[in-house]
Amino acid sequence: MENLNIDQIVLEVMEKLKPLAASSSNEEQLESKSKGIYEDPEEAIEKAYLAQKELFEMTLSDRKRITDSIKTHLLKYVRELSEMVVQETGMGNVKDKIIKNTLAIEKTPSTEDLRAGVFTGDDGLTLLELSPFGVIGAITPSTNPTETVICNTIGMVAAGNSVVFSPHPGAYKATNRCVELINEAISMAKGPKNLVVTVDNPSLAKSEVVMKHKKINLLCATGGPALVKAVLSSGKKAIGAGAGNPPVLVDATANIEKAAKDIVDGASFDNNLPCIAEKEAIVVDSVFDYLVFNMKSHGAYEIKDRETIDKLVALLVPEKWKPNKKFIGKDAREILKAIGIDAEDHIKLIIMEVEKDHPFVIEELMMPVLPMVRVKDVKEGIELAVKVEHGFRHTAICHSKDIDVLTEMGHRIQTTIFVKNGPSYAGIGVGGEGYTTFTIAGPTGEGLTSASTFTRKRRCALIGGFTIR
Ligand code: NAD
């Protein structure tokens, strides 16, 4: 065997890193390169199809280098992207979008997520490999537009795919700016042109082209129920990440002071836009008032009288079961102002006690408004939590020190994410262990998507060989 020469290895590594180092000092030259934005979805798909063929011939370390470049480059633009999204959508707040975008960049796994499997025995060795699908059509929401593009891109490209994004019409400028920056980063890492493309001036008709095109091998949909239904009726393999209505249950054994802070922080994060955010609190009677008292010291504004609650219902859910789009993702103070209440600067969440079938409990509002339901005991609380989660299998939260209660709730509710004794966002890696994603596939069962989700599982059997025991 040839002797391994350490100098040679160093030289090889330096050679591999050269494109990255050389190009990162030449950012300005990239202006003329492809931005990956196409008016015509057919053209976008065609370009992405050719790009995937190129990526297919590259190595795993090439893919890693490309996704690393995306991460490094996008980190420089987090503020710009966050501001653009808030300006374009009028939803959420810049401070929390900065946290969400940074999280997506830093905690989305790349090729390290691709773990092959193996069987060995008397008959030989069988390998379970993860191969790319090809071209993925990814439909993205208005609530986390750039975060979704970042997570999807890193995972899908790490898995060897190219991506065609079909952005939400209400967030497409920021989404497309994000894709443009991704293309700059891919170019810096000497990756294929048009590996990640997006559709300009999106519409439902353009989105349909992506969903039906024969060169799209997999669909990944992040959004509400209509979108998930549409991709699941497309006749293609589809990953559906749909709506949630996460309940948070608090029992008498919980650390109430901490639960109060966690719930206010989680439910007000990005003005309650995240699909994982606490959408209704279910609280055992004996600790209800003390929890409310503590929530008020962490930025919650309590509305007590029936008349004001009804006024808020008329404003936020004017048509039964349909949230008023004008107030989705708006600041708590702005919502209060609309019903004539001037709240102090630190107010970030509106709370009120309501009955268990109140529209605020049943509907996914995506507003910093948290309805609170009083229950006599944990059994009633878990039953209600299961009911109002609507079988979305999305997210639930429980504050309790009783292991039996935590176990029972986790077992009964069957959500993809179950956070115990923390704010909801701990479930996607903010102050909680594990990687992040903004595409949580409850309905189709892939769970928290990552690179391996976007692969085809293949078996490669060698008969009689490599039995080296
Ligand atoms: P939305 O469903 O209005 O839009 C999402 C995307 O789907 C957009 O690009 C839109 O143009 C497209 N779309 C909508 N209906 C369609 C149809 N019939 N055919 C084809 N395309 C269609 O969602 P939104 O308001 O942007 O996002 C909020 C919703 O998404 C909430 O319900 C939230 O819970 C959910 N969401 C879920 C996740 C998750 O990971 N599970 C993540 C983010 C948002």
Side-chain angles (χ1 to χ4, degrees), residues 244-247 385-386 388-398 409-419 440-442 447-448:
N245 193 36
V386 170
V388 299
E389 207 274 327
H390 303 308
F392 287 149
R393 301 183 166 188
H394 201 298
T395 299
I397 304 100
C398 185
M409 176 147 174
H411 179 62
R412 293 273 153 241
I413 201 142
Q414 287 292 308
T415 47
T416 306
I417 298 178
F418 181 44
V419 177
I440 299 147
L448 283 87

Side-chain angles (χ1 to χ4, degrees), residues 371-392:
M372 300 184 61
V373 182
R374 194 187 288 261
V375 286
K376 67 174 185 305
D377 56 25
V378 160
K379 187 171 176 292
E380 187 189 347
I382 293 177
E383 268 168 26
L384 182 60
V386 170
K387 189 165 176 221
V388 299
E389 207 274 327
H390 303 308
F392 287 149

